[in-house]
Amino acid sequence: MDPVGIATVAPSAESGPGPVWPQSKCPWGTPKNTTISCSLADVMSEQLAKELQLKEENAAFPEVVSAVDGPFITGENIDTSSDLMLAQMLQMEFDREYDAQLRREEKKFNGDSKVSISFENYRKVHPFEDSDSSEDEVDWQDTRHDPYRADRPTTIPKKGFTGKGKDITTKHDEVVCGRKNTARMENFAPEFQVGDGIGMDLKLSNHVFNALKQHAYSEERRSARLHEKKEHSTAEKAVDPKTRLLLYKMVNSGMLETITGCISTGKESVVFHAYGGSVGEDAKPVPPECAIKVFKTTLNEFKNRDKYIKDDYRFRDRFSHLNPRKIIRMWAEKEMHNLTRMQKAGIPCPQVVTLKKHILVMSFIGQDQVPAPKLKEVKLSNEDMKKAYYQVLHMMQQLYKECSLVHADLSEYNMLWHRGQVWLIDVSQSVEPTHPHGLEFLFRDCRNVSQFFQKSGVTEALGERELFNAVSDLNFAVDDEVDFLAEIEALEKMNEDHVQNHGKKVSSFSNDDEGPPTFCNK
């Protein structure tokens, strides 16, 4: 079709009587319109319509420029030949699986509880990068207001009251003070559980709040004392950091090969098994297997043990100048000196390797990490039990006469059976016979030994008084036990006066093992 021109022509004014107005100034005249001519094909064109629609859309929705530089990692444009790209994809998949496991653990841990625990800080993928997370889930940590947290009580202004007229509320109002005291409980120590008092609109009186505050302060101080005590003391089967450091130094110096574990625990010490190293101090050989006796640094078990050490002449001068914690080191030193005396006299006992503060390293009585059984636990024949009795009797005589010592805790629990003979252990409490209570301790040892072997079927076992006379050679001719103990106390008193008047004299032992004269029968 040929294009047809379209034109609009203004109508001519009718001729007639009346004034003639110019067309531009006549109020009733028709305005002159501009003539717009276009082709019918342009009007019907679809391309023109699309262009117009795109212009409208661009004006309403401006183009958003993406901030991400580079192509997205999709299944179509992945370069599988790059090891780095594959590693990143595998790491991203692993992180998402890890986060999914964390969400399951968090859901299982929280359950239906109103107070929930969040593992958000342990997630690998940031929340907006994790496609598996729900869009409806709201992270309340990112919001300014927590809808589950109750509002804190409003504060009273400086003027001391709020409201007007009959609705005036002062700072002494019971409800306001109660809510304020509840809010103050959040300042208590974290160990003091206060609960959600604000959420429950709890109102505490001043009397109750002050009592809770004092209790929280007392609990905080008690917890601090317990923590300090735990840090500076040994537990039942563990050691404190200082003891552990001393053990590490022994291993690093080559004295010990390795420490295998705990073999015995007691009220005063913990014993560990260790394999000996190549060489010890002063180039002395170290036994293949060692026993490490760690004296507990707690003072509870040593409060009633000072009588064994404060009246011992070897430590009497040092006892009064030491604090209670250093007495424990002296206790370990005391056992080392006693074992040295026994070893010189030929009494079967552990061999001392070294002493480091409150740690005593000795030879191990046993084999292949298995300690020798106690005389209480081992089952011996009648002949072996009779043999053990005479060995104990001979060792008690040697200990008293040659070593000038009294075991003071001798029983079937402190005697081991190893390689067909009895071994004595635990001599930290052993004292001199001239000790103010030395003969009493000896009589108690004789009673324990006599009762055990008599119950074990040894017919040759002596009674407690006969055994006491056989060991000490005092020969008290008293049949009554009360008179026997009275004779012992009288002799102890006489010996104590002798030591105070004349002091100790040099014996055949070394300087560290010198002792006062032993008892003699008068």
Side-chain angles (χ1 to χ4, degrees):
M1 179 186 295
D2 296 335
V4 178
I6 298 176
T8 304
V9 180
S12 61
E14 296 181 356
S15 59
V20 179
W21 298 86
Q23 185 175 1
S24 59
K25 296 182 178 181
C26 182
W28 296 279
T30 304
K32 183 178 180 180
N33 297 331
T34 58
T35 303
I36 302 175
S37 61
C38 61
S39 174
L40 182 61
D42 295 338
V43 175
M44 302 298 296
S45 174
E46 295 181 359
Q47 183 177 3
L48 179 61
K50 289 182 179 180
E51 292 178 357
L52 294 176
Q53 184 178 0
L54 288 176
K55 288 181 179 180
E56 293 178 359
E57 292 179 354
N58 292 335
F61 306 101
E63 183 180 0
V64 179
V65 181
S66 177
V68 180
D69 297 334
F72 292 97
I73 300 178
T74 61
E76 299 178 357
N77 57 356
I78 296 178
D79 185 10
T80 56
S81 61
S82 174
D83 295 339
L84 177 60
M85 184 64 65
L86 290 176
Q88 292 177 350
M89 292 174 60
L90 291 175
Q91 184 65 36
M92 179 63 70
E93 188 67 23
F94 172 81
D95 293 343
R96 290 182 177 180
E97 292 179 359
Y98 178 80
D99 292 345
Q101 179 66 22
L102 272 184
R103 283 193 295 272
R104 289 191 292 269
E105 292 290 340
E106 180 180 346
K107 184 178 180 181
K108 180 179 178 181
F109 184 84
N110 293 329
D112 299 333
S113 177
K114 294 182 180 180
V115 181
S116 61
I117 303 298
S118 176
F119 297 159
E120 189 70 25
N121 295 335
Y122 299 96
R123 296 179 61 180
K124 299 293 185 181
V125 183
H126 199 271
F128 70 81
E129 295 179 358
D130 192 358
S131 60
D132 295 337
S133 60
S134 176
E135 296 180 358
D136 298 333
E137 181 180 359
V138 179
D139 187 6
W140 297 111
Q141 296 180 357
D142 297 336
T143 60
R144 294 180 178 270
H145 177 67
D146 190 353
Y148 295 108
R149 185 177 180 86
D151 296 332
R152 296 179 63 88
T154 58
T155 58
I156 301 297
K158 292 183 178 181
K159 60 184 180 180
F161 65 92
T162 57
K164 295 181 180 180
K166 296 182 180 179
D167 299 331
I168 289 180
T169 302
T170 65
K171 61 182 180 180
H172 302 291
D173 184 73
E174 183 179 359
V175 177
V176 174
C177 290
R179 291 175 177 172
K180 187 181 298 184
N181 292 335
T182 304
R184 287 175 180 175
M185 287 198 306
E186 295 185 354
N187 299 327
F188 290 170
E191 295 82 7
F192 192 81
Q193 304 295 334
V194 297
D196 188 13
I198 299 179
M200 295 185 296
D201 196 16
L202 183 65
K203 305 175 185 64
L204 294 179
S205 63
N206 293 336
H207 176 71
V208 175
F209 173 75
N210 292 333
L212 289 175
K213 182 179 179 181
Q214 184 64 29
H215 178 67
Y217 179 70
S218 302
E219 287 294 319
E220 185 178 2
R221 293 187 60 184
R222 187 181 68 87
S223 177
R225 289 196 302 266
L226 291 177
H227 180 72
E228 182 181 3
K229 179 179 178 182
K230 183 178 179 181
E231 288 294 326
H232 296 84
S233 63
T234 56
E236 182 178 358
K237 293 185 179 180
V239 293
D240 59 337
K242 293 183 179 179
T243 305
R244 191 179 299 112
L245 180 60
L246 292 175
L247 295 177
Y248 287 158
K249 289 183 178 180
M250 292 182 184
V251 176
N252 294 335
S253 63
M255 180 185 301
L256 300 178
E257 177 87 16
T258 180
I259 301 176
T260 57
C262 179
I263 59 177
S264 177
T265 58
K267 297 183 297 182
E268 302 170 355
S269 62
V270 183
V271 182
F272 297 91
H273 175 272
Y275 285 105
S278 57
V279 64
E281 295 181 352
D282 301 332
K284 294 181 179 179
V286 180
E289 291 184 276
C290 297
I292 306 174
K293 189 171 185 178
V294 180
F295 289 86
K296 293 182 179 180
T297 53
T298 52
L299 304 177
N300 296 333
E301 301 298 336
F302 287 90
K303 290 182 179 178
N304 57 349
R305 292 281 176 165
D306 56 350
K307 60 181 180 180
Y308 293 95
I309 192 171
K310 70 177 182 179
D311 294 326
D312 195 329
Y313 81 96
R314 296 173 295 176
F315 305 96
R316 182 182 302 173
D317 297 335
R318 299 166 53 190
F319 180 81
S320 58
H321 301 288
L322 295 179
N323 57 34
R325 195 170 299 277
K326 291 185 178 180
I327 297 176
I328 302 171
R329 300 181 184 178
M330 190 184 298
W331 194 265
E333 181 183 350
K334 189 168 183 281
E335 181 163 5
M336 181 193 68
H337 290 311
N338 293 339
L339 288 175
T340 304
R341 285 192 182 187
M342 295 169 61
Q343 186 179 356
K344 290 181 179 180
I347 299 176
C349 64
Q351 177 186 355
V352 177
V353 178
T354 186
L355 173 66
K356 294 292 184 181
K357 293 185 179 181
H358 60 284
I359 301 177
L360 181 62
V361 182
M362 306 171 290
S363 60
F364 180 70
I365 309 300
Q367 189 175 3
D368 298 333
Q369 302 184 27
V370 180
K374 300 176 182 177
L375 208 57
K376 174 68 176 179
E377 302 170 349
V378 68
K379 295 182 180 180
L380 300 178
S381 61
N382 294 332
E383 293 296 329
D384 290 338
M385 188 62 70
K386 182 179 178 181
K387 177 183 176 182
Y389 171 73
Y390 284 109
Q391 288 181 1
V392 173
L393 177 59
H394 181 63
M395 284 190 295
M396 291 179 68
Q397 292 175 345
Q398 282 185 297
L399 194 65
Y400 184 85
K401 298 176 182 178
E402 300 181 22
C403 301
S404 187
L405 287 175
V406 175
H407 192 283
D409 193 21
L410 187 61
S411 66
E412 60 272 19
Y413 296 96
N414 291 330
M415 293 184 287
L416 305 180
W417 182 260
H418 181 58
R419 295 179 181 177
Q421 63 178 352
V422 180
W423 295 67
L424 294 183
I425 60 171
D426 193 9
V427 293
S428 57
Q429 72 286 333
S430 299
V431 297
E432 293 273 348
T434 54
H435 189 276
H437 304 283
L439 293 182
E440 295 179 14
F441 297 153
L442 177 60
F443 183 75
R444 186 177 61 187
D445 293 346
C446 294
R447 176 183 296 173
N448 295 335
V449 172
S450 178
Q451 291 179 355
F452 170 73
F453 283 103
Q454 286 178 356
K455 291 180 181 179
S456 301
V458 180
T459 57
E460 293 83 357
L462 299 175
E464 50 192 28
R465 293 188 292 272
E466 291 80 5
L467 183 60
F468 180 86
N469 291 330
V471 172
S472 61
D473 290 337
L474 293 176
N475 298 326
F476 288 149
V478 179
D479 296 334
D480 188 7
E481 182 177 350
V482 177
D483 296 337
F484 195 87
L485 292 176
E487 291 286 340
I488 291 177
E489 292 178 0
L491 189 57
E492 287 178 343
K493 179 62 176 176
M494 182 179 60
N495 180 74
E496 185 177 0
D497 296 339
H498 174 77
V499 172
Q500 291 179 357
N501 295 330
H502 302 282
K504 62 179 184 295
K505 72 173 185 177
V506 179
S507 63
S508 58
F509 299 106
S510 61
N511 293 332
D512 291 338
D513 297 329
E514 293 176 355
T518 57
F519 290 108
C520 60
N521 187 17
K522 294 185 180 181

